[in-house]
Amino acid sequence: MSQLTTTHTTNKYLTFVLATEEYAVDILRVQEIKGWSKVTKIPNTPHYICGVINLRGTIVPIVDLRSRFGLEHLEYGPMTVVVVVKVLSNAKERIMGVVVDAVSDVYDVTDSDIKPPPDFGTVISIEFVRGLATVEEKMVIVLDIDRLLNSDELAILEHI
Amino acid sequence: MAIDMTEVRQLFFEESSENLDVMESNLLDLEIGPIDKELVNSIFRAAHSIKGGAGIFKFEQVVSFAHVAETLLDEMRKGEHLVTQPIIDLLLRAVDILRMILSSLKEHTECDWSEVSACQTRLKAFLKTPLEGESAYGELTVSEKISPIPQSAPVKLPEPTSVIPAPIISATPLATPLPLEVPAVTPVTPTATSTMPASASLPVTSTEPTVATASTVALVAPTNIEGWQIIFKPHLEMLKTGNDPINLFRELAGLGALEVKADTHQVPTFTDLTPHSCYLNWELMLHANVAKSVIEEIFEWVENECDLQITSLPVLSAEDEAPIATVPDEITTATTTSSHDSHDAVSSKHSLVNSPRVELPPPAEGTVSNLPSPDEDGIGANQPLPNAPPASNQLRSDQVGTKPLSPVSPVETPLASTIEPLAVTSSLQCLDPHPLEGPISPRGNSNQAPETGSSIRVGIDKVDSLINLVGELVITQSMLEQVGENFDHSKLPLLRDGLSQLERNTRELQESVMRIRMLPISYSFNRFPRLVHDLSVQLGKKVELKLSGVHTELDKTVLEKMSDPLVHLVRNALDHGIEMPAQRRATGKSEVGLLHLHAFHQGGSIIIQISDDGAGFDLARIRDQAIKQRLLNREDNPTEEQLYEFVFQPGFSTANQVSDLSGRGVGMDVVRRNIRSLGGTIEIQSKPGRGTTFNIRLPLTLAILDGQLVRVGTEIYILSLLSIIESLRVKPKLVNSLAGKAEVYKLRDEYIPILRLYELFDIVVHCTTQLDQGLLVIVEGDGQKIGLFVDELLSQQQIVIKSLESNFKQMQGISGATILGDGSVALILDVAGLIQLFHHKKKIPTLRSTFTLGVSA
């Protein structure tokens, strides 16, 4: 997943909007899209972990992508969207919710069209960006959600 | 394959494991002396089912191994053997080996084949074979009597893969590990090749030793083998009629040692090859004293589809067998000189051995596709080698340290050569420093293995009651639906009735669903007869084990997590508690110590008692030791209970010497930690000279707990009712500050630290910060008391525990989550974790300003 593949397979990607940017995730990883519901905060977790919700009997953590990317915080409201995704970590599948501004569209993207992101040095961490793709004249940032929701920063939590 | 076999496979493993348990418990019930037919029968049946099942899945190793064990059992059943301790021990060992093979097959891990073949060889040695086997058996028992700890022999077998390598390991005590490794490899091969035809055939009959070892063949050869030469030329079409030569060979090999030579001349080039045609001809040498008709019978089915020629062999030609017969001699003599030489000698012998042997041809496609390839056995035998060297090193270093083994003298007769290695083997066992690891570790591992697909067998009555309850639930639901139609006030009582019925149904349903997870504690207790048997033999103590309340049910998870602590306590009781027979006699007790495991329900808990009538705790010694370790001041006068508390301290041991079993001071603290992690407690009652009782109290289930809801700001948390001692309104004058950092509350004659939950959890919205406006909940965790400061107490209710880890991760201070009546999530607090977190936070200055705010206030 983390490596760019050279095959020319076409996959469907769900895109969502954060501020003015459009991000894409592999649609096969998306379990459902739901509205905002009240979360239960978990103490001693980073600010971008909103808390946990009850998703039909399972406890699912919710990550706020805006705060994850250091964007300005928006009040949660009826229009807030939670994208529930499946994340692979340590060969185990976890369910997580991602808070985004809005869901945008579903695009077909050929793997070869995903270009590696340019290097910004340490200014922007791009480890969870799989690449950049151009769809309908727009730039879409393809996310590697396994890394995004499982990167070292999240792992640091283990020691708190 | 059309059918999904994985499920069936799973079933097989489960059944086999049950069968093995049956075998084990029945073996332990067997009494020395005449045969109890019923018991032996049931052991035999269990072994037979395993063999049968394994055959379906083509687990050849299991089949061949189980077959030998089964043969021995069959002989016992026919009364050909008396029940002796060595036989029981050997069969128990066989059970362990089977368990090991099965678990390695199940988890697709590698298994120590050397142990398997070692045990198989020993089993074969027990078989009632004419004369030779008998004398080997006799010799074996004698040698066991000589060895220092006679009956520990079966507890752990050493590494040698077969009889032949044994003298090599033992006879080169000072060799460096590396060369040792090499000879260990080579001798395996002769055995592998010589047994190959037999293992390709699998069934090994009870009356014929077949080619258990090369030397056995050599023994038998000159005396009574009158062989048959069979020239078997199948027609091209034979395979099309569903006849597979391998089956014929198997049957033949069942009669005795079989050599198979294939003639591959007729195999066409690959392009011309039809997979359904049989191009091979075979020349078979059967070294068995059987009537020609028996052989003809085997070929009966293919009579018309092959050319068959059966001629009797004259007494075996010497050149055929001689090199093999000399192999053991050569090895032993060679190894006594130098290991390098021995390597050469062995390998040269090896080639000698190989030359007269005929290997199976590479099977042509389609002809004998399921024929175990000749290599398979070789690989199988060689694989365990990475394990072998360290083990043999261990043996050697022990030998050097304690009792150097006299080098095996070169043997004169082939007969002696079979016996000698066995004798060496059994005396080596006694030197093994970790005799218990053998039987216990495989099972321990399988317990620890991630149980991804673990399953429970549920009694049909439990399922029936579930179905009944669901039926009632449906009735209640339709009743409520009726009430709901055209609802008016007159129907209010009906609604109330319906709702209370619904409540009852739900509760009952919940209870019976929980009951499905409940297993009788016998699942855990049943392993103890074996453990006690092995340990008492090893320690030279006489112990009677009494189990009661074995039908007491508890949650599967609790059961699994309890098994290690229980094993530890039982070991302790045997090692430290119960005295040696002589000592017991001296104190006027019966020589046989009593160990009693008892389980029963009390309230909402399960109590497990482990009591022995041994020496009891020596309080004076605990005291001395505690003073020595500076846990106690000399002038202190601790109570009995406080002294027992030391027993659970890490690194605390009063044992004079550290034994294999216990005495290192690790263990009891782990036992208590495990029990506590299950929400249980452990208590000690002990009377000097009269014995000790451990009382373990465990919650019935882990999935549900009685919870107390507490509110902090806008958040709701749950505390287990069990952990709450009391809750009180704070009197400000009883709050004291400690070093300006911590607060303590004077509760009667104790000072209890105050933990402000809102601080620890960083809650700033709407929470009470004035101590006198909230409540202090005194909780206990890990033996420590702490006062949790919360805003208010809400209701108490049964909480269904949900995992936070499955999608997120474990958080310190939080043991899980639950879903409240309104569908929102509430976190369950883990008191012990909170206390740790609290200490941690107090020590390290926090970055968040809110934390320091309240502390100094």
Side-chain angles (χ1 to χ4, degrees), chain A residues 33-38 75-82 100-102:
Chain A
I33 298 165
K34 63 191 295 293
W36 174 256
S37 55
K38 187 182 166 284
E75 276 306 310
Y76 304 125
M79 298 307 288
T80 312
V81 175
V82 178
V100 299
D101 289 2

Side-chain angles (χ1 to χ4, degrees), chain B residues 209-328:
Chain B
T210 68
V211 265
T213 63
S215 32
T216 328
V217 174
L219 294 176
V220 182
T223 52
N224 59 354
I225 276 197
E226 170 194 351
W228 295 93
Q229 186 194 37
I230 306 156
I231 297 181
F232 174 47
K233 291 186 182 162
H235 300 161
L236 277 181
E237 292 79 26
M238 194 192 80
L239 295 172
K240 290 181 184 160
T241 57
N243 285 304
D244 191 341
I246 186 69
N247 291 332
L248 303 171
F249 299 164
R250 275 185 195 164
E251 279 197 54
L252 280 176
L255 300 172
L258 180 71
E259 286 175 45
V260 184
K261 197 191 282 179
D263 174 11
T264 54
H265 291 307
Q266 289 177 33
V267 180
T269 55
F270 189 72
T271 42
D272 300 329
L273 191 127
T274 325
H276 299 294
S277 300
C278 183
Y279 300 105
L280 298 174
N281 294 331
W282 282 277
E283 188 188 334
L284 305 149
M285 298 283 204
L286 177 65
H287 306 296
N289 190 9
V290 290
K292 191 177 178 183
S293 61
V294 178
I295 298 172
E296 280 171 343
E297 206 178 308
I298 290 175
F299 284 96
E300 199 179 348
W301 292 101
V302 289
E303 231 170 18
N304 299 326
E305 290 157 46
C306 67
D307 299 321
L308 192 65
Q309 212 181 322
I310 303 173
T311 46
S312 67
L313 283 177
V315 172
L316 260 188
S317 58
E319 58 171 32
D320 226 21
E321 292 296 333
I324 294 160
T326 51
V327 169

Side-chain angles (χ1 to χ4, degrees), chain A residues 40-45 49 52-54 57-61 92-96 154 157-158 160, chain B residues 715 717 760-761 802-809 811-812 814 817 819 823 825 827 837 841 848 851:
Chain A
T40 300
K41 289 200 176 65
I42 303 178
N44 303 321
T45 48
I49 294 184
V52 287
I53 59 159
N54 162 23
T58 42
I59 310 288
V60 173
K92 203 181 138 197
E93 195 171 87
R94 293 169 195 267
I95 309 287
M96 286 195 172
L154 212 61
L157 298 178
E158 314 280 339
I160 286 186
Chain B
E715 304 291 321
Y717 297 104
L760 192 72
F761 284 175
K802 300 271 180 182
S803 158
L804 197 60
E805 271 172 275
S806 62
N807 285 322
F808 193 43
K809 63 187 194 301
M811 296 289 305
Q812 195 174 18
I814 294 166
I819 293 159
V825 180
L827 302 176
L837 195 63
K841 288 237 164 170
R848 300 181 199 192
F851 279 126

Side-chain angles (χ1 to χ4, degrees), chain B residues 621-622 625-626 629 631 646-647 649-654 664-666:
Chain B
R621 213 151 90 197
I622 294 177
Q625 188 67 23
Q629 295 193 5
L631 296 166
F646 289 121
V647 175
Q649 294 300 317
F652 190 90
S653 174
T654 55
R664 288 181 201 277
V666 257

